[in-house]
Amino acid sequence: MTNETHTLTHAQNSKLSFFVNHNLPRDSNNSNRQIDLCFKTLDSSDSIVSDSSIAVQIQQHFCCSSENHNIHRRRSISFGNSNNANGDMESYFPVRPECKADVPKTRFKPKVGKTLSERRWNAAFDKDGRLDIAAVLRRIQRGGIHPLIKGAVWEFLLGCYDPNSTTEERENLRKKRREQYNSWKEQCKKIVPIIGTGKFAMTPLVDEDGELVENNGVVEPESDAESDKKVIQWKLSLHQIGLDVVRTDRALVFYENEANQAKLWDILAVYIWVDDDIGYVQGMNDICSPMVILLKDEADAFWCFEHAMRRVRENFRSNATSMGVQSQLGILSQVMRVVDPKLHQHLEGLDGGEYLFAIRMLMVLFRREFSFVDALYLWEVMWAMEYNPNMFADYASNGSHEVVATKLSRKVLQQYGKYERKNVKIGRTDQKSLLAVFLVAGVLETKNKKLLNEAKGLDDVAQIMGDITGSLDAKKALTEALKIHKKYLNKARN
């Protein structure tokens, strides 16, 4: 007699990814069997699903009562067009059919033994939930992160959680953060009721004086804060966010759903409400979008984005005379002057010595130069290489956490990313979060001959650098960046 139990959740576009637990108690006659099937998948609001494949993992458990022992087997079986098993990233982040010809080719594919898998990730936690961050960093630096766990891993890479915390401690912190986000969102909603409704604004809500714009489709309540400068400035930004939202990763199926676009708009609206010092700047949407896709809970996505912004926030600061990213451009100029003085001199002769053509790369961390998937791979490997185990404590103390300078043991050094570890060893604390600068330098080096021979003006430089879109290999770019970093440190030391 066979009893079958199925639990199946509907998935967007009939996309299925599930596990089958196959338990077979059997007697000496092998006549009684029980098969329990449990199907798990993601709901329609999530993009990490397969559009043309069914991946099944079967765990077969034989209970041999006559011999009083258990035999465990684990098998993986694929049915139909199993693109997931072959590492087809489009099955996790599907592209709209009409856009496929226009998006850069994806090069990254998960590799067994190199990419951080769900199994390896789960095994990296002890019984209390503390994470072996050194083992995780090694695996990410070798082959990135499997799409199914990217969001969870990013929360650690960005310093949202301390790897030495327990599961209970993280859940308590997550709960507090969700409550805080929801409180901020409610404040915003009282001023602009469209927030949180699954809709978003694309036309101005107020004019420069804070007066309501008629026929904007949004009814706003009267408030004592209407004349407040902060509120007016915030409202003036909301429709600009909306205009950018509809342009954000529009090739992805995920953003065909207006509710997902509204989720991105809500997070950005709340973020600039909380951090009104810089306000909204185009490009923040490109940083935020992956978090919205990878993390189902809106509050979790917000905090992941907020921590990512801590790394690049100053790049978005600008005034009438300067841009925040200019400090990184200055460092790029310094690096190129050291590692390739001939190319630097050539660019200076073309009035390109300020490297303004690299602004976009640094502002949005190469989002436009790579496919969506390759950009995610680039980010996570870069963050793993830059990882500092003191990051969470430093963030929690608002930068007042002081690390006493001392010789670190090999075990402690393994908890640093390979880029940050090298800086720590030589005491270069000024090199934090600058791997992106060396990435740009690496790209310039790969285009050295072309720039020297063909660039006769800034337009030529812009054209040559623009042509790299879709042609770069993220892994090779990171390898080249580390080489440039090593070369720079060696020459700067002499």
Side-chain angles (χ1 to χ4, degrees), residues 175-351:
K175 182 180 178 181
K176 289 179 181 178
R177 284 178 174 162
R178 287 178 176 179
E179 290 173 351
Q180 178 64 79
Y181 174 75
N182 290 329
S183 174
W184 285 331
K185 189 174 178 181
E186 280 301 312
Q187 292 176 25
C188 296
K189 188 176 176 63
K190 287 179 180 178
I191 303 170
V192 179
I194 194 175
I195 289 175
T197 64
K199 304 289 183 181
F200 58 96
M202 291 178 59
T203 57
L205 304 182
V206 295
D207 60 23
E208 294 290 337
D209 297 321
E211 297 295 325
L212 286 177
V213 175
E214 294 183 5
N215 301 320
N216 61 18
V218 179
V219 178
E220 300 187 63
E222 293 183 3
S223 169
D224 293 337
E226 289 293 325
S227 60
D228 185 89
K229 185 177 179 181
K230 172 187 173 178
V231 175
I232 294 173
Q233 193 58 47
W234 176 66
K235 287 182 179 180
L236 287 170
S237 300
L238 295 181
H239 80 283
Q240 184 58 57
I241 296 175
L243 293 173
D244 286 343
V245 160
V246 296
R247 294 192 288 257
T248 305
D249 294 320
R250 56 186 172 189
L252 298 180
V253 171
F254 181 82
Y255 283 118
E256 286 186 318
N257 185 336
E258 186 184 12
N260 290 333
Q261 291 181 319
K263 185 177 174 183
L264 174 59
W265 187 76
D266 285 350
I267 290 174
L268 290 168
V270 174
Y271 177 78
I272 65 167
W273 171 257
V274 176
D275 185 2
D276 61 326
D277 181 35
I278 293 178
Y280 177 73
V281 180
Q282 191 176 55
M284 292 180 178
N285 52 311
D286 292 302
I287 304 295
C288 186
S289 174
M291 284 69 173
V292 174
I293 294 172
L294 295 174
L295 292 160
K296 184 176 178 179
D297 188 277
E298 185 177 312
D300 294 345
F302 169 87
W303 286 108
C304 194
F305 167 64
E306 190 269 345
H307 278 69
M309 282 297 296
R310 295 186 188 207
R311 307 172 71 92
V312 296
R313 178 177 179 272
E314 291 305 311
N315 284 353
F316 291 94
R317 186 186 295 279
S318 63
N319 54 43
T321 58
S322 66
M323 297 178 293
V325 73
Q326 281 182 321
S327 62
Q328 288 198 336
L329 294 176
I331 296 172
L332 174 60
S333 176
Q334 177 185 330
V335 169
M336 292 305 298
R337 185 182 292 109
V338 171
V339 301
D340 195 339
K342 186 177 179 180
L343 178 57
H344 175 73
Q345 186 176 5
H346 178 66
L347 292 173
E348 273 198 322
L350 301 176
D351 288 331

